[in-house]
Amino acid sequence: KLVSQSGQVLAGPVDITATSPNVTFTDTIEYPVGTSVMTLKGRLGTDYATDDTVAASTTPDSNWTTVKGVNTNQTISLSTAVFTGNTMTVKAGALRVSTSPTPIAQTVVAGINGYNFANFTLDATASGEDVRLNSVQVEFNFGTANSNDDLTSCQIFDGATALNTGTNVVNGANADTTADDKTFTFDTSLTIPKGTVKTLALKCNIAKGGSGTTYTLEIPGDADDMIPTGVTSGSTITETYDDTTGQAITLATGGSLAIALDSQSPSIALANANTTGVTLSAYRFTATNEAVKVTQIGLMLGGTASNTPQDVTKVTLWDGSTLLGEAIFTSDTATATFATGFTVPKDSDKVLTIKGDIATIGVSDPARPGHLIRVEIDPNAADASGDATRGIGQDSGNTIYSTGSPAASAGVRIFKAVPILAKVALSSTKLTNTTLPLYRFSVTAPSTGSVGLYKFTYNISTSTGGALTYSITSLQVRGYLDSAFSQTAYSNGGLLNSGSVGDAGGVTNDGTNLYSVRFDPTTAGTVEAIQVPAGTTRYFELIGTVANMGATTTYTANVRLEGDAAYTAGACTSCDTPGDTYTGAPLAATTGGMNYTFATTAANVDADATHDDFIWAGNATTTSGIATYDFMNGFQIPGLPPTNTTAEALSS
């Protein structure tokens, strides 16, 4: 038949046969002025097979007759060209069926409602017409004997729409280990449009208490598993099956919750007193078999750390940027409870971060300089005790207690004020026979307090280019207020050492290429700790006199500031009371009601020949004298590497 643009039948219908493939319409058709579009339509007979082709053509000059103008009645000449439509390829109805590899094989907790046991893929991309489906037969395979009420309310879903409801819902299965076929009859026919793929989900409720049973649900590919038909033709479609099986789903009575120190947990660091939100540790929670909503966590102060409840005013627990809860230590243990919970996904993990608010350090303040604060998940609370780390299984509803003994965290060592170092580039790295800057850096004291500086150590390595008379002498360190190194910060023009190499209060050659500077800014021959006031930055410059360089030889000097790779040898890591010893001298002493732990005198730090390159004080008692127990070496200072800083390379 010929059909107009509006869908009106203009001519036909007329049948054709294999022996008479031409079709002649005898209807009179009137075309209005302008352009008209006709569509030739026909129904294919059952003799056509997939991949047969059909193409229609017409030659207006010879195939169209009695073509006249409506008003003039004059005969109109038509084109002699052959007009051929596109070749149409015949496709019969088709449907390919498979069981999806997802969800993957796994263990789930009994008691879940609407658990997705299997997904079925219905592929009509090769079909010549839409496909209609009224039911699906599913094979329930059991690895072990089960109760016939373990699985109930089984339904097949197309997206969020259940295809079988009411009396069509499937319940129960045989209580044995054999396969059991269940037919899912749809409330209304399901249509899979040609050229598309539809995925159906099979979901069931799982009764509580089941354990050990393994289910494999699939469409096995039997002839009676489904009877698809073509929506247009009404013909039965012979579906094809991919050789796939369902994934094994095993039931468990409940989930579990394991805790371990996470790789994100920070390395040991120095922290300022009277600061909040200092990251102390991070723990990875792993939930198995079901999601677990953690509602309570048992905490403890690290057993080998030199901390007391007075060192930290409060700890907070975080899920990323979300505050979960907080706890206050009145003893070595504490418990944090969560109002909203910390949900760990099934068979996955989540990181919880512990942060601390550090107490103040001072004569009458509670925290102690040098104490190591470690706040950790308490492994002794991983049981059914009242302060246990616990959660609620989101499928089973069971209370789940944590397992595992997490590794110790690194923690933070606290001082009233911790310096921050930064290398400052020289304005020129040209070596000439004169007195010139060799190295520059800055020291910044935090707002929490001032910082005392007792000793710097420089590594100066030179290349003489064969001229052995080349030398760098008269080393001096000067301190400035500004980054332009123009405003002196200390007396005597900012000069911090009273003499050169070998002089008292001057520079000591500690070995090959190593030069230590102890400070005597008044040139009185008395070494003291110079100060960087709270919230300020001081700039330090090493100066040397270069001499005896020839005009034709290249001379170089590489200058570095030395760091410390470990705490001072023999330092106590667990002492909390006066009387503990440090190489014969007290590590802890009572001064004005304070206990000083781990930090010691400047001389004690300086006595360690290996780890004494940078010596400083946090000034726990306003400005600490060099004999007070408030000094540390350069280990862990921000900006000071454990070996040395990047070299300042100078050349002639």
Side-chain angles (χ1 to χ4, degrees):
K1 56 188 175 184
L2 289 174
V3 181
S4 70
Q5 289 173 265
S6 63
Q8 177 186 3
V9 176
L10 301 175
V14 176
D15 295 337
I16 63 172
T17 65
T19 57
S20 179
N22 295 325
V23 57
T24 300
F25 296 105
T26 59
D27 307 77
T28 298
I29 303 173
E30 183 175 305
Y31 298 102
V33 174
T35 300
S36 298
V37 177
M38 291 185 298
T39 300
L40 176 64
K41 295 186 176 182
R43 181 187 299 275
L44 299 183
T46 57
D47 289 339
Y48 283 96
T50 294
D51 295 331
D52 283 352
T53 59
V54 180
S57 63
T58 185
T59 305
D61 173 71
S62 58
N63 294 148
W64 297 24
T65 59
T66 318
V67 182
K68 295 183 178 182
V70 171
N71 296 325
T72 64
N73 201 35
Q74 293 182 0
T75 298
I76 297 175
S77 298
L78 300 179
S79 171
T80 59
V82 178
F83 294 90
T84 303
N86 293 327
T87 298
M88 303 298 178
T89 301
V90 177
K91 293 291 183 182
L95 184 66
R96 180 176 292 276
V97 182
S98 63
T99 302
S100 173
T102 58
I104 63 172
Q106 58 190 281
T107 299
V108 300
V109 173
I112 303 176
N113 288 331
Y115 180 74
N116 188 180
F117 276 88
N119 293 317
F120 306 123
T121 301
L122 307 179
D123 185 351
T125 54
S127 181
E129 61 178 324
D130 296 347
V131 178
R132 177 182 291 118
L133 201 59
N134 294 312
S135 65
V136 172
Q137 191 173 84
V138 178
E139 184 176 275
F140 285 60
N141 294 299
F142 314 121
T144 56
N146 68 295
S147 169
N148 63 3
D149 60 358
D150 276 355
L151 303 186
T152 60
S153 299
C154 296
Q155 294 176 284
I156 291 180
F157 284 79
D158 177 15
T161 303
L163 300 180
N164 59 308
T165 63
T167 58
N168 288 330
V169 171
V170 174
N171 289 291
N174 290 337
D176 54 34
T177 59
T178 61
D180 185 15
D181 290 343
K182 292 290 183 180
T183 298
F184 289 76
T185 301
F186 301 153
D187 299 346
T188 58
S189 298
L190 172 69
T191 298
I192 303 101
K194 67 177 181 178
T196 67
V197 178
K198 189 176 285 292
T199 298
L200 305 181
L202 172 56
K203 301 179 181 181
C204 299
N205 295 345
I206 306 173
K208 289 187 176 182
S211 177
T213 303
T214 298
Y215 293 93
T216 304
L217 279 58
E218 62 193 38
I219 300 177
D222 299 334
D224 58 351
D225 285 340
M226 59 179 64
I227 304 175
T229 57
V231 171
T232 301
S233 68
S235 302
T236 298
I237 295 172
T238 301
E239 69 274 21
T240 58
Y241 292 90
D242 291 331
D243 187 15
T244 55
T245 58
Q247 304 300 313
I249 307 297
T250 303
L251 303 188
T253 55
S256 63
L257 180 67
I259 305 175
L261 188 70
D262 186 64
S263 59
Q264 297 180 31
S265 194
S267 302
I268 189 170
L270 305 183
N272 294 307
N274 197 27
T275 53
T276 61
V278 177
T279 300
L280 303 176
S281 53
Y283 289 89
R284 183 169 296 276
F285 287 66
T286 301
T288 304
N289 296 340
E290 63 176 324
V292 178
K293 182 179 181 180
V294 181
T295 57
Q296 178 175 294
I297 291 181
L299 301 170
M300 70 174 186
L301 294 174
T304 60
S306 57
N307 49 200
T308 66
Q310 290 75 29
D311 290 324
V312 56
T313 60
K314 180 177 68 177
V315 294
T316 53
L317 296 93
W318 299 81
D319 174 11
S321 60
T322 301
L323 175 63
L324 299 172
E326 59 184 45
I328 295 176
F329 282 94
T330 58
S331 64
D332 287 343
T333 60
T335 302
T337 57
F338 301 153
T340 57
F342 173 67
T343 301
V344 185
K346 174 183 181 292
D347 296 331
S348 187
D349 47 43
K350 209 169 190 182
V351 174
L352 179 141
T353 302
I354 301 176
K355 300 181 181 182
D357 295 350
I358 311 302
T360 55
I361 292 177
V363 174
S364 302
D365 295 322
R368 298 293 176 258
H371 271 192
L372 176 64
I373 298 177
R374 286 196 355 232
V375 177
E376 301 167 350
I377 304 295
D378 187 355
N380 298 320
D383 52 34
S385 63
D387 59 351
T389 297
R390 66 180 69 174
I392 303 297
Q394 296 302 279
D395 295 323
S396 66
N398 297 338
T399 298
I400 298 174
Y401 296 93
S402 65
T403 61
S405 297
S409 62
V412 297
R413 195 168 296 283
I414 61 172
F415 292 88
K416 184 176 181 180
V418 176
I420 298 176
L421 272 64
K423 182 178 179 294
V424 178
L426 294 176
S427 57
S428 172
T429 58
K430 179 71 172 177
L431 278 179
T432 59
N433 286 320
T434 187
T435 298
L436 48 74
L438 302 174
Y439 191 89
R440 288 173 171 176
F441 72 100
S442 66
V443 176
T444 300
S447 60
T448 55
S450 62
V451 170
L453 302 173
Y454 176 80
K455 177 182 176 182
F456 299 160
T457 301
Y458 295 92
N459 184 316
I460 304 175
S461 60
T462 60
S463 172
T464 63
L468 299 180
T469 56
Y470 159 55
S471 64
I472 300 178
T473 59
S474 301
L475 296 174
Q476 296 180 348
V477 175
R478 293 181 181 270
Y480 296 88
L481 295 171
D482 61 319
S483 59
F485 294 83
S486 61
Q487 303 176 49
T488 58
Y490 304 96
S491 59
N492 195 29
L495 178 63
L496 299 178
N497 55 297
S498 58
S500 189
V501 178
D503 296 331
V507 181
T508 303
N509 186 193
D510 292 342
T512 305
N513 301 332
L514 295 180
Y515 298 89
S516 295
V517 182
R518 296 167 184 82
F519 307 122
D520 176 21
T522 63
T523 67
T526 302
V527 177
E528 63 180 73
I530 61 171
Q531 302 300 314
V532 179
T536 67
T537 300
R538 293 291 182 262
Y539 298 87
F540 299 95
E541 180 179 67
L542 175 66
I543 300 169
T545 299
V546 180
N548 302 317
M549 290 196 307
T552 60
T553 303
T554 299
Y555 303 86
T556 64
N558 289 295
V559 185
R560 302 171 176 87
L561 182 68
E562 291 289 291
D564 292 301
Y567 289 121
T568 304
C572 174
T573 60
S574 60
C575 45
D576 294 311
T577 58
D580 292 306
T581 59
Y582 171 89
T583 60
L587 217 194
T590 300
T591 302
M594 292 189 64
N595 288 336
Y596 292 83
T597 304
F598 199 92
T600 185
T601 66
N604 283 342
V605 180
D606 211 0
D608 182 343
T610 305
H611 305 301
D612 65 336
D613 289 331
F614 190 98
I615 302 177
W616 65 282
N619 288 342
T621 54
T622 310
T623 299
S624 298
I626 63 175
T628 59
Y629 291 81
D630 197 24
F631 284 83
M632 283 279 294
N633 66 7
F635 185 53
Q636 299 296 330
I637 288 180
L640 182 61
T643 53
N644 46 56
T645 59
T646 302
E648 191 68 81
L650 300 94
S651 62
S652 60

